[in-house]
Amino acid sequence: MAASCLYNIFIYPLQLLFETVFDLFYSIGENPGVAILGVSLVMNFLALPLYRRADAYAAAERRKRAEMKQWTDHIRRTFRGDERYMMLNAWYKEQGYHPMMSLRGSISLLLQIPFFTAAYRFLSRLTLLKGAEFWFLKDLGVEDGLLVVGTVTINVLPIVMTVINLISGFIYTKGQPFRSRISIYALAAIFLVLLYHAPSGLVFYWTCNNLFSLAKNLVLRGVYGSDPPLAEEDAPQRKGVAAAFFSSQLVLTLLAGLVIPATVIASDPSSFTDIHHFVDPNTSLILTLSLGAGMFLFWGGVIFYLLPKKHREKAAIASACIAVFCLINYLAFATPFGTLSASMVYEEEVTFGVKTILVGVLVLLLVVAGLILVWDVIRKWFTWVMFALCLTLVTFAAVKAAETERTLEEEGYMEAVAEDLPEQPITLSRTGKNVVVMMLDRSIDSFIPWLFSERPELKEAFTGFTWYPDTLSFGGHTNLAAPALFGGYEYTPKRINERAEESLKEKHDEALLVMPTLFSEAGMDVTVVDPPYAGYRENPDLSIYDGLDRVNAYNLCGAYETKESAEIRASQQERRTRQLFTYSLFRISPDLWRNAIYDEGDYHDPEYYPYVDPVLVDYAPVLKKLPEITEISDKAAGSFLLFQNGTTHGPSSLQLPEYELSLHADNSAYDTSYRINDDGDVLVTENYRVERHYEVDMMALTDVAAWLNLLKEEGLYDNTRIIIVSDHGYDIGLLHTIETGEKTYDTTFLNPLLMVKDFDAEGELVVSEDFMTNADVPELAMEGVIENPLNPFTGREMTMEAKGVDQIVTTSKHFWITDRNTFDTTDGHWMAVDGTVLDNSGWRDLGEGEK
């Protein structure tokens, strides 16, 4: 942690700049060589004022030593011991010189170290360089190997780089003493050793830097003839300027490095960890804070102190304007963009209207104009205001961090260890009847024809199934829609709100318990996997099943790893600091710049493309290992499996054509803009939201198909009833929209997947035109197995008769679980649906908030 913090302070801000500039150039022509050349030019131009100032300091120090040399040498020849020391100090004091000033000569060298380290760390690990060809370099990801003499391969580019470095150093140190030249030549030799076996892309970058340095030295020698002069400090720095600058930078550090990350983590702590790989997400705050300190305090301070004194007050005013604007922008102009993932990616498209952009620009101009006008009045006490603001920000962040800890404790994450899992937690019977209810969270019903057409093997695996395209869910999110799926029509949002004297937690847990209770009472062995929001917790509380005979419950989310998921998980944890910090920069920036920073959720990170949702990383291995973790028993009792999986809730870019997890999926060889089904219908998937949902749905059904084939091989497919269902769909524009007041609502949200295979069913997939809801699932599961089932909590008969009247659904987007008795649906409408989901003829708006 300490080493990471030091890296974040001194190096990572530069690496972040490298990554951003590289990504911008790469997006133009998708050529890594051109991007490297662009990075070299931009970074050198940006660093040029720093290097010029550093060189001027070094030149001034050399001139000063040269002016004092005659008397300095005389003192050293004439005096010894303490007397020499005292005489030299007196001489230095008289000349206004201090021995520490000799370090000025090393500023330019010291600046090269973090720049080189950042470039080395970034380019030496950049996957995009592997196999990339540029000019005479056949592969930027490996050594150049341009010259082969017999059996010896010689890397030419590092030698060329060194020669250019030596020429540049010779010109730069011309006329200087040998002591000054030796360090330059030694540094060239060190770079040759370090980079001789480095990827040619990295060596090419440093060669470009050396060429730029050579050109700079030639120009400066042509202009000045010798060392560049140090600008005269013609105006003293006023008191309090440095304090005003650094207090403003501290506000930016705390806002971007602490407050915003703490707020994001506190909003959903479970998204940043899991019970099987528990890491306290608050540790990320230390890393983001150190990155903020590096960017704003350290490198901001370097720039500040390399400025001439006469310009430092301007820098202080600029820093104050930026800090005040960013704070106002974050607090007053927080545009809502919808659901945010743990990778800081919004599921909805991020757009800004002209009005909001203009308002942001106006506020920025007002802040700048106001501070400039009153600067002389407020300068003396401005620093104290900033420090008071810093104290407030720290307090706020501490409250959010404590909120995160409290939530984790309530969710059970702070327990000592995760539960020990049996090798095969799922049990099915070869001789008795099995009933399986498999909820694939957010699986899109409308994809089925294209998924089955693209992969004919799915048709072979899903024999005996009936697909119900005209299926309705009662809400667009799990908290609203899942209770009816698990408990039937008594647990629709409308019916839940009618029981206003009971908490949502109690009613949600009831719904999760209905089928396990009835099947266990019927003498069947019951297995429950990842029951969503059990105990009304993000980390499901399995204790709700305590006391039920023959019921085993497990949290398998995150319990298994594949090679690919482990690689992605490690990368995501490593990149989390960057994601949180760049998201903070996105939030504090004016709307005019936000889309450029957001970059469709990539934040200009060439190492983290394409996008893989952390939810997918946790859930996909569970489906992949389903055949391995299923035990086939000869018990005659039969089994009931209630299985939930979120693979389909993690829309991501997968590696085609296998649709597999991959840290660096490359699908450039495939046209993913559309799919065609067996009937010739076209599904347009060029929108990334549609494409990513399609890909994870294909992954999920492919893995489920492998499990179905296992059941067939083991001889229990015929005695197993299987219901594959989702709690809801998502608004990706595949169905019609309906008017809800002044807004429109995409009904794809309320169209869940529903596929059913009954006992002994066979034949190709059947498409049913029957109108269904996912509240039919309990009755479908129990039909013929449990006679006249009664809800064990209300005593009412469980039937599908409620489907004969209008179904009342909610368009609310309040997806979070809360300590309430009723759902807060004030942000949406109640809709009556009569007989169909697939067109808007049966939809009727009951009005905003109407019940």
Side-chain angles (χ1 to χ4, degrees), residues 59-317:
E61 196 275 334
R62 287 194 298 269
R63 283 194 293 267
K64 189 65 177 179
R65 279 193 287 108
E67 292 171 4
M68 299 188 303
K69 186 176 186 304
Q70 181 179 354
W71 276 99
T72 301
D73 292 346
H74 173 72
I75 291 171
R76 285 174 173 160
R77 286 195 305 266
T78 307
F79 302 96
R80 295 289 184 271
D82 291 342
E83 190 175 13
R84 175 198 284 181
Y85 175 77
M86 292 175 63
M87 291 297 292
L88 280 174
N89 278 347
W91 171 238
Y92 288 155
K93 187 174 182 180
E94 179 182 334
Q95 295 297 309
Y97 179 80
H98 192 282
M100 290 294 291
M101 290 181 178
S102 62
L103 293 177
R104 286 182 171 186
S106 304
I107 292 177
S108 183
L109 176 61
L110 292 174
L111 281 175
Q112 287 193 53
I113 294 174
F115 275 87
F116 171 76
T117 306
Y120 187 90
R121 177 75 179 268
F122 169 52
L123 292 173
S124 64
R125 305 194 310 169
L126 186 60
T127 308
L128 286 173
L129 299 185
K130 295 179 180 178
E133 184 176 348
F134 179 69
W135 201 10
F136 56 86
L137 299 172
K138 301 302 182 184
D139 188 345
L140 294 173
V142 299
E143 304 170 34
D144 65 76
L146 291 173
L147 182 62
V148 179
V149 181
T151 59
V152 178
T153 301
I154 299 174
N155 297 323
V156 175
L157 198 57
I159 299 173
V160 173
M161 173 198 73
T162 304
V163 170
I164 296 171
N165 205 357
L166 290 172
I167 295 172
S168 177
F170 175 79
I171 295 172
Y172 177 75
T173 59
K174 186 177 181 181
Q176 295 181 19
F178 178 76
R179 187 181 69 173
S180 299
R181 298 199 300 270
I182 191 64
S183 61
I184 299 295
Y185 301 149
L187 187 63
I190 291 172
F191 278 131
L192 175 62
V193 172
L194 288 176
L195 297 179
Y196 185 77
H197 293 291
S200 57
L202 174 59
V203 184
F204 175 63
Y205 167 78
W206 210 252
T207 303
C208 292
N209 278 8
N210 290 343
L211 282 170
F212 188 92
S213 178
L214 175 60
K216 179 195 71 172
N217 291 335
L218 288 171
V219 170
L220 291 180
R221 286 290 171 177
V223 173
Y224 299 114
S226 59
D227 290 329
L230 184 65
E232 293 293 330
E233 302 290 2
D234 52 2
Q237 179 179 307
R238 291 203 289 179
K239 185 178 180 181
V241 168
F245 175 84
F246 282 102
S247 61
S248 299
Q249 295 296 99
L250 184 58
V251 168
L252 291 170
T253 297
L254 294 174
L255 185 61
L258 187 63
V259 170
I260 297 176
T263 302
V264 170
I265 292 172
S267 67
D268 188 10
S270 63
S271 295
F272 296 90
T273 190
D274 66 72
I275 199 67
H276 298 283
H277 309 88
F278 180 74
V279 176
D280 190 336
N282 276 335
T283 57
S284 296
L285 300 180
I286 301 173
L287 299 174
T288 55
L289 181 61
S290 62
L291 179 53
M295 176 171 287
F296 297 113
L297 291 175
F298 176 74
W299 283 104
V302 168
I303 294 171
F304 180 80
Y305 280 114
L306 285 177
L307 287 173
K309 289 183 179 179
K310 63 181 179 180
H311 294 318
R312 290 179 186 174
E313 187 160 0
K314 298 174 186 175
I317 296 173

Side-chain angles (χ1 to χ4, degrees), residues 504-533:
L504 287 173
K505 174 183 179 299
E506 292 175 295
K507 290 172 282 191
H508 185 89
D509 287 349
E510 267 189 26
L512 293 175
L513 285 163
V514 167
M515 286 191 285
T517 300
L518 291 173
F519 278 103
S520 67
E521 289 176 351
M524 300 178 74
D525 294 325
V526 175
T527 303
V528 180
V529 174
D530 293 318
Y533 296 148

Side-chain angles (χ1 to χ4, degrees), residues 472 474 483-496 498 771-779 791 796-808:
L472 176 74
F474 294 87
L485 186 158
F486 292 110
Y489 286 92
E490 289 189 74
Y491 298 94
T492 66
K494 179 178 181 295
R495 297 288 297 275
I496 284 178
E498 289 173 356
F771 173 65
M772 303 290 284
T773 80
N774 54 9
D776 293 330
V777 167
E779 175 64 15
N791 185 316
R796 297 193 181 106
E797 185 178 359
M798 299 184 66
T799 69
M800 292 189 286
E801 293 179 2
K803 197 168 57 178
V805 298
D806 285 357
Q807 301 304 302
I808 309 302

